[in-house]
Amino acid sequence: MAIIHFIDGEKGGVGKSLFARVMVQYCIDRQLPHVLVEADRSNPDVGEVYPEGCERAVFSEAERKAYDADRIFDLAIKTPVIVNLPAQVFPAVTDWIERNGVLEMGAQHGVSICKWFICTGGYDSVQLFIQSLKQFDGKVQHVFVRNWGLCDDWSHLDSRDELQKLLAKQKVPVLDFPKFSYRERDHLDAKRISFSKGRESGELGVLGKQRLHTFLKSAYQAIDQANIWKLSQSEVSPSNPTATDEPSLEAGKADIQTAEPAASGSKSRNSKRSS
């Protein structure tokens, strides 16, 4: 069954674009078929970084633009689709799903929906996630993505009874998205280049490339843990440096030993952060 992967979060500045870029790179490195759909008109940075084969779509409650997003479903019938959503689009996306009977049509055509909801740990961010869970009541798969780049302590959510009950009831995977070092991120953002090109950049230096590699390795392990892509070992390219356990990052004549995953890598929902 193909999946429409909505990279969501509703608020601006929660890390949707970075997570979407990692998801696209994940598919490239794992050689997984996918199509990127850039739905953020105000800041289409994911589409700019990964322009090859990128489609455009707009979610709008305006009648004359209400059909623009239909392209996403048509694409998903053939291959998984990654949709980079803009902020404050929940009403329009929900309207598109409900008005068109997307869930019912998906059952007929073998297309499901997964919301990767990026959260900062702040009250408003968590409430928006709860709103989405309640709206779809288990009919849409959600993944709760805890952005450790914006919050380094998530223990306060353990006492949020409503959240914990919804997570348990709907069996929502919870993954920890690791922090990406500012220096390497700023370099990629300024150059508007992909992670692939970042790995080849001589400007990052030996340790900069290693930090980038470690970040991607941790992020990929988190995505794997959610078990949405249902990745098998045969689908991992043994020649790809981020898909193996023993990569070699070339910098001059020096070989870099593989670093262990960052401490903020994948964890189960009930696990505690190591000290």
Side-chain angles (χ1 to χ4, degrees):
M1 175 177 281
I3 302 179
I4 300 173
H5 298 270
F6 283 130
I7 311 303
D8 199 1
E10 191 59 13
K11 290 173 65 69
V14 299
K16 293 189 301 293
S17 293
L18 178 60
F19 187 84
R21 285 156 59 185
V22 169
M23 183 74 82
V24 173
Q25 190 66 50
Y26 172 90
C27 291
I28 292 172
D29 289 344
R30 298 292 175 87
Q31 298 184 351
L32 299 174
H34 68 284
V35 174
L36 169 64
V37 173
E38 178 60 85
D40 192 338
R41 289 178 294 175
S42 62
N43 185 29
D45 56 339
V46 181
E48 292 174 359
V49 172
Y50 292 96
E52 187 175 355
C54 178
E55 300 279 346
R56 306 280 173 164
V58 175
F59 284 95
S60 175
E61 293 178 275
E63 185 176 357
R64 64 187 181 87
K65 295 183 179 180
Y67 308 104
D68 189 71
D70 291 356
R71 174 71 172 152
I72 294 172
F73 190 89
D74 293 337
L75 289 168
I77 292 176
K78 300 178 181 178
T79 189
V81 177
I82 300 170
V83 184
N84 180 45
L85 291 176
Q88 300 178 350
V89 76
F90 179 79
V93 172
T94 301
D95 178 70
W96 177 75
I97 292 174
E98 295 181 345
R99 173 172 43 83
N100 295 295
V102 171
L103 299 180
E104 293 76 15
M105 293 301 294
Q108 294 181 31
H109 293 274
V111 176
S112 62
I113 293 176
C114 178
K115 274 195 171 191
W116 301 76
F117 200 97
I118 322 303
C119 184
T120 66
Y123 179 82
D124 290 341
S125 181
V126 175
Q127 284 301 115
L128 289 168
F129 175 65
I130 290 175
Q131 179 185 6
S132 186
L133 288 176
K134 287 183 174 180
Q135 178 70 43
F136 295 104
D137 194 25
K139 297 176 183 177
V140 169
Q141 174 69 63
H142 285 69
V143 178
F144 189 47
V145 181
R146 305 192 298 189
N147 189 349
W148 282 77
L150 296 178
C151 178
D152 60 4
D153 184 358
W154 294 81
S155 60
H156 61 288
L157 298 187
D158 294 342
S159 59
R160 294 283 296 272
D161 290 341
E162 183 179 27
L163 171 65
Q164 296 302 327
K165 288 178 181 178
L166 286 169
L167 290 173
K169 178 183 177 182
Q170 298 188 23
K171 299 180 180 178
V172 178
V174 177
L175 66 84
D176 288 348
F177 187 55
K179 180 178 179 178
F180 187 25
S181 58
Y182 293 118
R183 179 179 179 273
E184 284 68 51
R185 179 171 182 176
D186 285 350
H187 176 75
L188 268 60
D189 289 348
K191 300 289 185 180
R192 277 293 194 265
I193 58 175
S194 66
F195 289 106
S196 296
K197 292 182 179 179
R199 289 193 292 244
E200 301 168 357
S201 175
E203 297 179 46
L204 288 181
V206 175
L207 296 182
K209 289 183 180 181
Q210 180 64 13
R211 284 190 292 268
L212 188 153
H213 163 74
T214 301
F215 165 73
L216 287 178
K217 182 177 179 181
S218 252
Y220 289 4
Q221 288 174 339
I223 293 172
D224 284 342
Q225 185 190 29
N227 200 33
I228 301 299
W229 287 91
K230 294 180 173 59
L231 187 66
S232 68
Q233 290 298 318
S234 62
E235 292 173 305
V236 178
S237 170
S239 63
N240 194 286
T242 59
T244 64
D245 290 331
E246 297 181 355
S248 176
L249 301 177
E250 185 174 353
K253 295 183 178 180
D255 290 331
I256 302 174
Q257 297 299 318
T258 303
E260 291 302 314
S264 58
S266 299
K267 304 178 184 68
S268 65
R269 183 168 62 88
N270 294 321
S271 67
K272 302 296 184 181
R273 190 185 183 195
S274 59
S275 58

